[in-house]
Amino acid sequence: MEEIKSTEEEFHPKGTALVLAIFVLVLILLWGTVYLILLSRGMTTV
Amino acid sequence: MSEETPEVSAETSLHIDPYERNWMRLTVVLLVVFATAVTIAGFALGFQVPSPEERVDPRTVAIGDGPFADPGLREYPDGSYDLYIVSQMFSFSPNEVTVRAGSEVTFYVTSIDVQHGFKLQNTNVNMQIVPGQVSKLTVTFDEPGTYDYICTEYCGSAHAQMYGTLTVEK
């Protein structure tokens, strides 16, 4: 257990975390943009 | 010679790295937010997707007494329209339509040959046009302007020439 804990303490993949943060941000921005375009174009009904 | 089974404690076997745990949490939160937004658009704001209105025979739908034998606009006293469109390789009939701003237009579109698409640019009108089926969608045009409708399903060599124009006048 001590070995695992010491590995955890040293494991800080800041570069990977940054890349994933950018990925999530882009995902949210793209999705949000499309959603706002959908709303701005008005309702469609059947 | 006997092999000893290594001891695996519950704490070790269920170990999840904090970064991985947070990533999973974020993924779930995003999915919940996206699903909530789509649910609000669909049920609270009333956005609906196209529906198959009825089944027809593509060989006879454009002949006889039906509305697709004389495709085009039908105007009603309340200012709304029904617009019947026949799609075929490589044209829409009619391919030029004019309505008044603020009017509600219900599109009825069918195909008499192969599968087509019907996308009215800069609006949320986007339907698959399947032979043997009438696709229906209603939209209100508040902004005057010109809206092109195009075929979005590759239907042959002149697919790119298959388009029409809907004009919204003041």
Side-chain angles (χ1 to χ4, degrees):
Chain A
M1 279 308 295
E2 282 178 14
E3 194 176 316
I4 290 172
K5 278 180 182 173
S6 65
T7 308
E8 260 181 28
E9 285 164 8
E10 293 167 9
F11 187 65
H12 296 296
K14 289 180 181 172
T16 304
L18 179 66
V19 169
L20 289 178
I22 293 170
F23 172 75
V24 168
L25 200 62
V26 169
L27 186 74
I28 291 169
L29 284 174
L30 289 176
W31 201 97
T33 303
V34 171
Y35 188 69
L36 290 177
I37 289 172
L38 172 86
L39 296 187
S40 69
R41 284 179 171 178
M43 185 173 64
T44 50
T45 56
V46 293
Chain B
M1 202 171 141
S2 65
E3 285 186 22
E4 288 182 13
T5 306
E7 283 185 23
V8 179
S9 68
E11 195 175 351
T12 306
S13 62
L14 295 176
H15 172 75
I16 300 175
D17 185 87
Y19 283 93
E20 196 174 358
R21 190 184 303 121
N22 289 333
W23 178 249
M24 286 192 288
R25 284 176 180 156
L26 181 62
T27 304
V28 170
V29 168
L30 278 179
L31 286 174
V32 169
V33 170
F34 291 168
T36 304
V38 170
T39 304
I40 288 171
F43 292 96
L45 302 179
F47 284 79
Q48 295 178 357
V49 294
S51 69
E53 173 69 2
E54 62 175 303
R55 300 277 180 193
V56 292
D57 186 341
R59 295 166 298 184
T60 58
V61 67
I63 55 177
D65 297 331
F68 290 102
D70 181 24
L73 273 178
R74 314 281 195 271
E75 186 173 1
Y76 294 103
D78 63 358
S80 65
Y81 298 92
D82 281 350
L83 175 54
Y84 290 88
I85 296 178
V86 174
S87 52
Q88 65 185 101
M89 296 186 290
F90 299 97
S91 65
F92 290 108
S93 178
N95 60 7
E96 287 187 5
V97 181
T98 301
V99 299
R100 281 190 303 277
S103 60
E104 183 185 85
V105 180
T106 300
F107 293 85
Y108 296 88
V109 191
T110 193
S111 168
I112 59 171
D113 43 35
V114 300
Q115 185 166 340
H116 297 281
F118 183 86
K119 167 101 174 83
L120 192 61
Q121 301 285 61
N122 300 320
T123 72
N124 288 329
V125 178
N126 190 359
M127 301 186 281
Q128 281 293 305
I129 311 303
V130 181
Q133 177 178 298
V134 177
S135 297
K136 177 190 174 190
L137 201 58
T138 300
V139 66
T140 300
F141 292 95
D142 293 323
E143 296 293 325
T146 301
Y147 302 82
D148 293 328
Y149 45 92
I150 60 172
C151 178
T152 52
E153 189 73 40
Y154 182 75
C155 54
S157 58
H159 160 73
Q161 308 299 318
M162 190 171 168
Y163 63 91
T165 302
L166 184 144
T167 303
V168 180
E169 292 180 337
K170 284 184 182 176

